[in-house]
Amino acid sequence: MPRTALLVSTALIAALVPLSVARAADDPAPTPVDRFEGEVPFASQPADGIFTWGSDSDDPPALQLADRADAPEGAKVLSGTYDISGYGGFTHDFAATEPAHDWSTHKGIRFWWDGQDNGKKIAFEIKDGGTNGEASELWTTSFTDDFTGWKQIEIPFTDFVYRTDYQPVGGIDHVLGLTRMWGYAVTLPVGIKGQFAMDDVELYGKADQALRASVTTDAAVYPVKEGGTASVKVTVATTGSAPIDDPVTVAYETTGGTAEAGKDYKAVSGTLTFPAGTASGATQTIQVPTLKDRSAESAETIPLKLTVTGAKAPAETPQAVIDAHGLPYLDSRLPVKKRVADLLSRMSLEEKAGQMTQAERGAVGTGGDIAAYDLGSLLSGGGSTPTPDTAAAWAQMIDSFQLRAQATRFQIPLIYGVDAVHGHNNLAGATIMPHNIGIGATRDPRLAEKAGAVTASEVRATGIPWDFAPCLCVSRDERWGRSYESFGEDPALVKSMETIIQGLQGRADGSDLSRDDKVLATAKHFVGDGGTAYGSSTTGSYTIDQGVTTVTRQQLEAIHLAPFQTAVDRGIGTVMPSYSSLDIVGDGLGPVKMHARADMIDGVLKGRMGFKGFVISDWNAMDQLPGDYPAHVRTAVNAGVDMMMVPYGYKDFTATLIAEVKAGRVSEQRVDDAVSRILTQKFRLGLFEHPYADTSGASRIGSTAHRAVARQAAAESQVLLKNSGNVLPLKKSEKVYVAGSNADDLGNQTGGWTLTWQGQSGTHTTGTTILQGMKNAGGDVTYSKDASAPTSGYDVGVVVVGETPYAEGVGDVGNGNDLVLTAADQAAVDKVCAAMKCAVLIVSGRPQLIGDRLGEIDALVASWLPGTEGDGVADVLYGKRAFTGQLPVTWPKSEAQLPINVGDASYDPQYPYGWGLTTLTKAPKGGEATLRALGAAARAAERAGASSTGRKLVGEARLLVQAKVGQSITAAVSKPFADADHLLLTGRYGAAVQRLTEAYEAA
């Protein structure tokens, strides 16, 4: 709205107020915000205007200013239609180029709504503080459309609560100040096709102190050792931070709870007074002394009832908690098995059900339900972060949740989990590694372990002890939107990269888990998620993710199960089943969702493989099982799932699980097994002794040392597919023309699962793009993203193209994605490569179909998704490091070839699995005679168990073969070449050289 709209005369404002609306004599006149008469345009930041938004292109509502004879104010109203599947709504942001508005003198905000009586809740939020409407704090409330026709909705500012599920930027002050307001937003109902009309948004009423002032305590829970004193700080604060006008009194008394006055604590009561004129933020303290006795006891609670006059009371009653003490499970000197048995023997069914439950942080708000439901675990989904998204804020948030767990009877700590799948990727400023497909390309198990260690260090330093990684999927079809989460298509390669588990967890016996730089790891997704057939998914518009994997028993064992046995042998702490279904040929069961396969989870994983950790479900995965909700619960639990990830459904899950146990459909023995497994890992992590964040390692987050590991990984992940005329490495003396959509885009370079679930283009965290890396390397570089700048006068061109971020089934080919470069990328390649020698880098999560342009491209590099350290890519481009990466997946000629994998009977790719040229190292000479000698030496090394020597000999043979083959890669060359790399990974060095010899002879 025009800035003058808030400066109109009182008389005019009074004339605009509908006659039907009465106001108190001393209330200020309403202040209009939106009249919808055309004074506010449809426009977005930085302009003043109304704009729509939604989770996809179909979700934003259609808006118009419509003439309505029954308009509550003026002639027009804001009306619209909507049909929302994800989320959608509209916003009015005030102009960022003008001062923010001051709403602090009013009681609240109101507007007219044309009710449709659909029974749906409509969220209404306001924007407070910060620099503009899209960089402000969001405060939210809702009203229900359970009426017909026009109704004025009045919302006092005291009804608004700080959003914990989403904030667009770092936190301002978490206080609704109302002195710097930037607008409002409306979130429309999901799941119905609807229409709405709205009119006359205005500020109303007087902000009297009882509504403007509030009393808070510095915590909701105050744990104290028996005999100690709990100190409860009581603070008075005002909206707008003005001193209080009238006195505020706080009467307090200890009452209720499980502790006994006189025996466990000294009863206290009294009154605190904050006189008129007291500054906002003033604090006084109440002391609650506890008493010692000689008995071992569980924790006992002492609620402190507060009665407030003159201000808004705290949202909940604070309570002191006398810590549990003297019980065997608290004795860290006892073996973990004994501690688990003792604690389990004391727990009720309700407490056990809570331990088997994992909720999303956004669902529990400030955490009161943690104690109410005895919750055992919380998680952050992709992009679910505190505000601000800093290491300190993560630690503070998780500590606040852990504090809530201290109010439970046995003070069992929470275990908090995140998807740190390539570094601590939810944390802004963290070190972001290449995605797993790039790590697989390095063929460097030691580097994989280092990457895991860096990730663990940064995750644990923010108070998080559990990582939902690594993904041990064997990706068999690159149309899958998760293919970049795989180390490769060969189970032998995946197994070799599982050194990352030691990087995350430390020693296989779990003895390192309590360290401040280690986390509990998760092998996922059990089993066969990488083998789903194209077109088999029944999840929304997905084409392959969460579909059906159809295999023989032998294929299941050799391809998909093998990496999980390795993980178990390496001491993996948790395993996550797959969303997908498994159809084993000949077993007569057909496709069965993995969360229901007791034969695989309980039988194979826990039984035959000997897995001793616990099984955590995927996000709401049990909801995909057949039957009603109780059937979902008992099926998944009886199949062997120990903890259920029910982000927003934790209340229903715990109630249903308890009912199923009481009805005898889930045995108490099964529950005890699940809880024992969960408690075992909590004890091993040292959470009972140290539940709160150890932030001593926070200074290492994003440190030079950590980024050096990511830089090395980025460099080693680069796969040189073609290098005609030795275009690479570049020389610093060369004038280099750089183009392409991914040359200078950190978001595209880091891919999905970075800051948000799907990732996003642009600069969203700290790092170095490939372009900046080239400049840092000392290159003489000119950049033109679309290659529109003149191309004459350059020695060589570097065109960086590829994909934009995606995750999971959203990235499936056929779901709005393909394997072809965009028209803009193709044009950039064509223009640059026609004008000069050129190298093309493909930044992507999977191979791209580039065969039709290979003739014009001199050098081709598969860069994968290299993470935040573009300097690592520049290191190999300029020869600081050699290109050493090898293809972790087969590079197809066409989409029609997919799926295509090493070992296939018919195998004629663009580039075979294992292909990767090198620089700075010359291939051996001598042809077949040299290969025969290498073969003999390799067989001798194999017999002697000299694996390092064997790998080196096979590597020399591979270079010799690639030197002869050049770009004349035929089916006769590809199949034995790819087979050789598989044989190398399985330790059969002599056979590997033999297959390479066959490829040489076929060239």
Side-chain angles (χ1 to χ4, degrees):
M1 59 186 285
R3 208 53 28 185
T4 53
L6 292 182
L7 303 175
V8 294
S9 71
T10 303
L12 176 58
I13 291 173
L16 296 175
V17 179
L19 294 176
S20 59
V21 179
R23 61 184 177 89
D26 61 344
D27 279 0
T31 301
V33 177
D34 271 333
R35 299 183 59 230
F36 303 121
E37 299 299 309
E39 78 280 10
V40 177
F42 291 112
S44 57
Q45 283 284 315
D48 177 73
I50 299 168
F51 60 94
T52 62
W53 38 265
S55 53
D56 59 35
S57 59
D58 298 326
D59 283 346
L63 301 183
Q64 63 174 327
L65 296 177
D67 286 308
R68 286 274 293 258
D70 63 343
E73 188 279 327
K76 298 180 186 291
V77 302
L78 179 69
S79 68
T81 57
Y82 59 90
D83 185 4
I84 300 168
S85 58
Y87 62 85
F90 61 91
T91 291
H92 178 188
D93 272 0
F94 304 149
T97 56
E98 299 289 337
H101 296 195
D102 186 344
W103 293 0
S104 63
T105 60
H106 286 278
K107 177 181 180 179
I109 189 167
R110 66 188 179 193
F111 49 88
W112 290 88
W113 191 265
D114 187 17
Q116 306 299 308
D117 200 19
N118 55 32
K120 295 288 188 178
K121 283 191 179 299
I122 297 159
F124 187 89
E125 72 185 23
I126 55 179
K127 303 186 169 197
D128 178 54
T131 55
N132 57 60
E134 295 305 287
S136 57
E137 284 186 346
L138 305 183
W139 291 74
T140 187
T141 187
S142 67
F143 64 95
T144 302
D145 187 340
D146 56 1
F147 54 91
T148 302
W150 289 107
K151 177 181 178 181
Q152 192 173 47
I153 307 296
E154 289 195 344
I155 308 174
F157 291 130
T158 51
D159 283 2
F160 286 92
V161 295
Y162 181 83
R163 279 190 66 171
T164 59
D165 58 334
Y166 169 73
Q167 290 288 341
V169 294
I172 315 309
D173 55 13
H174 296 214
V175 173
L176 181 57
L178 295 175
T179 57
R180 288 181 53 79
M181 301 304 296
W182 292 104
Y184 65 89
V186 176
T187 301
L188 294 164
V190 176
I192 61 169
K193 192 171 184 179
Q195 62 184 22
F196 78 93
M198 183 182 189
D199 198 15
D200 193 25
V201 183
E202 64 182 11
L203 310 177
Y204 75 94
K206 179 183 178 182
D208 61 279
Q209 179 175 293
L211 296 172
R212 190 166 57 86
S214 60
V215 168
T216 59
T217 58
D218 58 323
V221 179
Y222 297 84
V224 60
K225 293 187 183 301
E226 187 187 42
T229 298
S231 296
V232 180
K233 291 184 178 179
V234 179
T235 300
V236 64
T238 62
T239 301
S241 300
I244 59 176
D245 298 325
D246 303 305
V248 172
T249 61
V250 182
Y252 61 88
E253 63 173 323
T254 49
T255 180
T258 58
E260 184 179 337
K263 176 189 173 191
D264 300 311
Y265 70 96
K266 292 180 181 178
V268 297
S269 62
T271 301
L272 304 178
T273 300
F274 296 90
T278 298
S280 178
T283 297
Q284 296 187 46
T285 301
I286 301 169
Q287 304 281 358
V288 182
T290 68
L291 304 172
K292 276 194 172 184
D293 59 33
R294 297 184 179 179
S295 59
E297 294 175 305
S298 57
E300 297 171 306
T301 58
I302 311 167
L304 184 64
K305 181 182 176 182
L306 302 179
T307 304
V308 179
T309 303
K312 188 179 179 181
E316 59 184 301
T317 299
Q319 55 184 332
V321 178
I322 304 172
D323 288 339
H325 54 277
L327 301 174
Y329 77 89
L330 295 169
D331 187 351
S332 61
R333 297 168 297 181
L334 292 177
V336 167
K337 190 172 183 179
K338 285 189 176 182
R339 297 179 75 184
V340 169
D342 176 68
L343 178 52
L344 189 69
S345 71
R346 301 174 186 277
M347 295 171 68
S348 67
L349 175 59
E350 289 73 16
E351 288 164 329
K352 292 173 183 177
Q355 287 302 301
M356 295 174 66
T357 307
Q358 183 180 65
E360 219 285 335
R361 59 168 284 277
V364 300
T366 57
D369 278 354
I370 292 170
Y373 292 88
D374 293 291
L375 296 180
S377 180
L378 294 181
L379 84 152
S380 279
S384 177
T385 67
T387 305
D389 185 11
T390 62
W394 275 94
Q396 183 179 22
M397 175 187 73
I398 293 168
D399 280 356
S400 73
F401 291 140
Q402 287 288 17
L403 184 63
R404 295 289 191 159
Q406 295 300 299
T408 60
R409 192 161 61 123
F410 299 114
Q411 299 182 306
I412 302 172
L414 295 167
I415 180 170
Y416 199 102
V418 293
D419 288 276
V421 298
H422 63 140
H424 196 353
N425 44 255
N426 276 315
L427 172 64
T431 308
I432 305 299
M433 299 289 168
H435 269 294
N436 282 356
I437 196 167
I439 299 295
T442 70
R443 294 300 199 281
D444 189 341
R446 291 182 180 176
L447 181 57
E449 184 171 350
K450 282 185 188 177
V454 168
T455 300
S457 173
E458 298 198 0
V459 168
R460 196 68 183 258
T462 56
I464 301 166
W466 186 14
D467 185 3
F468 305 133
C471 187
L472 301 184
C473 46
V474 182
S475 177
R476 305 293 283 180
D477 190 333
E478 277 58 62
R479 290 173 292 189
W480 187 33
R482 301 193 82 143
S483 58
Y484 63 76
E485 293 189 52
S486 172
F487 292 114
E489 70 187 33
D490 182 356
L493 175 58
V494 175
K495 289 168 66 176
S496 73
M497 292 294 113
E498 290 186 53
T499 49
I500 194 172
I501 294 172
Q502 264 55 67
L504 292 166
Q505 290 195 168
R507 285 173 286 192
D509 64 2
S511 58
D512 290 336
L513 283 173
S514 61
R515 283 172 39 175
D516 66 358
D517 61 349
K518 295 299 173 190
V519 293
L520 197 68
T522 307
K524 63 183 190 184
H525 303 89
F526 185 83
V527 60
D529 55 336
T532 49
Y534 190 81
S536 67
S537 181
T538 57
T539 301
S541 57
Y542 294 6
T543 58
I544 185 168
D545 188 38
Q546 303 185 21
V548 180
T549 299
T550 303
V551 285
T552 64
R553 287 274 178 192
Q554 190 277 331
Q555 289 170 329
L556 176 64
E557 294 285 344
I559 297 172
H560 299 292
L561 275 173
F564 286 92
Q565 182 63 69
T566 301
V568 172
D569 294 342
R570 287 186 171 274
I572 195 77
T574 61
V575 170
M576 181 182 291
S578 176
Y579 280 119
S580 57
S581 299
L582 181 63
D583 185 1
I584 303 175
V585 176
D587 73 355
L589 298 176
V592 178
K593 284 283 186 181
M594 275 306 308
H595 282 74
R597 292 213 67 139
D599 61 327
M600 300 303 300
I601 299 173
D602 194 44
V604 174
L605 178 65
K606 292 182 176 178
R608 193 188 80 196
M609 289 185 176
F611 173 60
K612 301 302 183 187
F614 69 88
V615 176
I616 170 70
S617 87
D618 211 331
W619 181 285
N620 279 334
M622 73 171 181
D623 289 349
Q624 297 187 4
L625 302 182
D628 58 14
Y629 191 74
H632 297 168
V633 172
R634 65 176 173 267
T635 299
V637 173
N638 286 335
V641 181
D642 301 307
M643 182 184 286
M644 214 66 65
M645 189 186 292
V646 280
Y648 295 89
Y650 57 91
K651 296 177 185 178
D652 289 339
F653 172 71
T654 53
T656 304
L657 176 58
I658 290 165
E660 289 297 295
V661 175
K662 288 181 177 178
R665 291 184 287 268
V666 173
S667 71
E668 290 189 38
Q669 182 181 13
R670 169 77 269 269
V671 169
D672 284 353
D673 172 60
V675 177
S676 294
R677 290 170 176 269
I678 294 163
L679 293 177
T680 296
Q681 299 304 332
K682 289 186 176 185
F683 280 117
R684 294 170 83 191
L685 284 162
L687 294 177
F688 281 82
E689 288 71 45
H690 304 288
Y692 302 115
D694 181 345
T695 58
S696 58
S699 62
R700 297 194 293 269
I701 295 173
S703 65
T704 301
H706 283 186
R707 291 185 184 275
V709 175
R711 179 173 181 166
Q712 179 186 352
E716 291 190 24
S717 71
Q718 303 298 294
V719 180
L720 183 58
L721 300 172
K722 179 180 180 180
N723 195 24
S724 297
N726 293 322
V727 169
L728 296 176
L730 303 171
K731 300 177 182 64
K732 292 180 182 177
S733 60
E734 292 176 311
K735 291 188 67 177
V736 182
Y737 185 101
V738 179
S741 60
N742 286 351
D744 195 32
D745 194 303
L746 195 62
N748 292 353
Q749 187 175 303
T750 52
W753 285 111
T754 310
L755 275 293
T756 59
W757 174 39
Q758 291 293 317
Q760 62 187 51
S761 300
T763 302
H764 52 29
T765 189
T766 304
T768 305
T769 65
I770 293 171
L771 174 67
Q772 187 60 49
M774 294 175 70
K775 292 177 178 178
N776 294 345
D780 184 356
V781 172
T782 297
Y783 174 57
S784 175
K785 181 177 180 178
D786 60 358
S788 59
T791 55
S792 59
Y794 293 92
D795 299 306
V796 62
V798 174
V799 191
V800 189
V801 294
E803 296 185 305
T804 53
Y806 53 81
E808 300 191 32
V810 177
D812 285 353
V813 167
N815 188 22
N817 295 278
D818 55 40
L819 300 179
V820 180
L821 298 179
T822 65
D825 277 350
Q826 291 179 23
V829 170
D830 293 344
K831 183 173 182 181
V832 175
C833 292
M836 65 194 82
K837 295 185 298 181
C838 73
V840 172
L841 277 61
I842 299 180
V843 173
S844 64
R846 52 198 168 192
Q848 303 291 285
L849 303 175
I850 195 76
D852 59 339
R853 283 176 167 74
L854 270 177
E856 64 188 79
I857 295 171
D858 297 294
L860 180 64
V861 179
S863 288
W864 310 115
L865 298 170
T868 50
E869 305 314 300
D871 286 323
V873 180
D875 285 343
V876 293
L877 289 178
Y878 277 97
K880 183 176 181 178
R881 288 180 180 269
F883 276 94
T884 56
Q886 297 174 243
L887 283 180
V889 294
T890 300
W891 198 283
K893 290 180 177 177
S894 69
E895 191 176 326
Q897 287 186 315
L898 296 172
I900 182 171
N901 295 288
V902 57
D904 288 354
S906 176
Y907 190 74
D908 185 20
Q910 193 80 65
Y911 293 102
Y913 169 77
W915 186 266
L917 307 176
T918 191
T919 51
L920 312 184
T921 301
K922 292 184 177 179
K925 298 187 181 299
E928 290 187 52
T930 301
L931 284 171
R932 284 195 295 272
L934 289 171
R939 288 189 292 274
E942 186 177 337
R943 288 192 298 270
S947 57
S948 178
T949 300
R951 288 194 298 269
K952 182 179 178 181
L953 292 165
V954 176
E956 290 183 22
R958 186 176 64 84
L959 293 180
L960 194 157
V961 173
Q962 287 182 152
K964 182 184 180 186
V965 171
Q967 293 292 297
S968 301
I969 304 172
T970 63
V973 168
S974 291
K975 183 167 178 55
F977 187 93
D979 289 346
D981 202 62
H982 172 73
L983 291 165
L984 165 65
L985 287 163
T986 57
R988 290 174 283 175
Y989 309 122
V993 175
Q994 177 58 41
R995 290 297 274 158
L996 286 169
T997 302
E998 294 171 26
Y1000 184 91
E1001 292 169 347

